[in-house]
Amino acid sequence: MDKNKEIEFKTFISKEQYEKLLEEFKLTNNIFPQTNFYFDTEDARLMQDQTVLRIRKKGNNYKLTKKTRSEIGADETHILISKEKAYEMLKNGFDASIIGLPYQVKNIAELTTYRASGPYKDGTIFFDRSEYYDKVDYEIEYEVDEVEQGLKNFKEFLQNHHIEYKESIRKSKRAFDNRK
């Protein structure tokens, strides 16, 4: 099991802003898909606890991740799993105690993000186009190791690119709220 701290700042942007940023950062041909399959209990216990449990398919790799809120950012726990194991979990659900959650869970939603990324100041900037059910949205994520400098850099980025901050909703919640 792998553990890390995630500190990120994000905002929704328009399709036009997204396309302009891809051009500016020369990332138009460096967009890669990743699909998140979200899991929860029958009574949406994890969503209520603001815990995210997902399998992410990125290329031929599958990773089970638990994300929990913490005082600063989110704590993430990861387990690499095989394609076969991922498909079994998607089909049948699983006992989440393997990643430290005392629940039986099932696949409840999915979302595919087409992501471009690159270094920016003290972190990594991501330009995302996310598709889930009949929705498409665009957002910027900025991941950093240090909160204060990261927030300063993020605000400067938005100001320099004339982007108005629009609070972003977690991808898991967007997918959950729009599922059919």
Side-chain angles (χ1 to χ4, degrees), residues 5-21:
K5 171 77 69 186
E6 180 186 62
I7 300 170
E8 65 183 9
F9 302 97
K10 39 205 262 177
T11 184
F12 282 126
I13 57 175
S14 69
K15 178 181 181 182
E16 294 74 25
Q17 289 168 320
Y18 169 81
E19 290 171 350
K20 187 176 176 183
L21 289 166

Side-chain angles (χ1 to χ4, degrees), residues 123-139:
T124 303
I125 197 146
F126 300 92
F127 306 117
D128 290 349
R129 181 182 90 232
S130 294
E131 298 179 1
Y132 46 103
Y133 308 102
D134 59 351
K135 306 277 187 208
V136 177
D137 62 43
Y138 304 87
E139 94 188 305

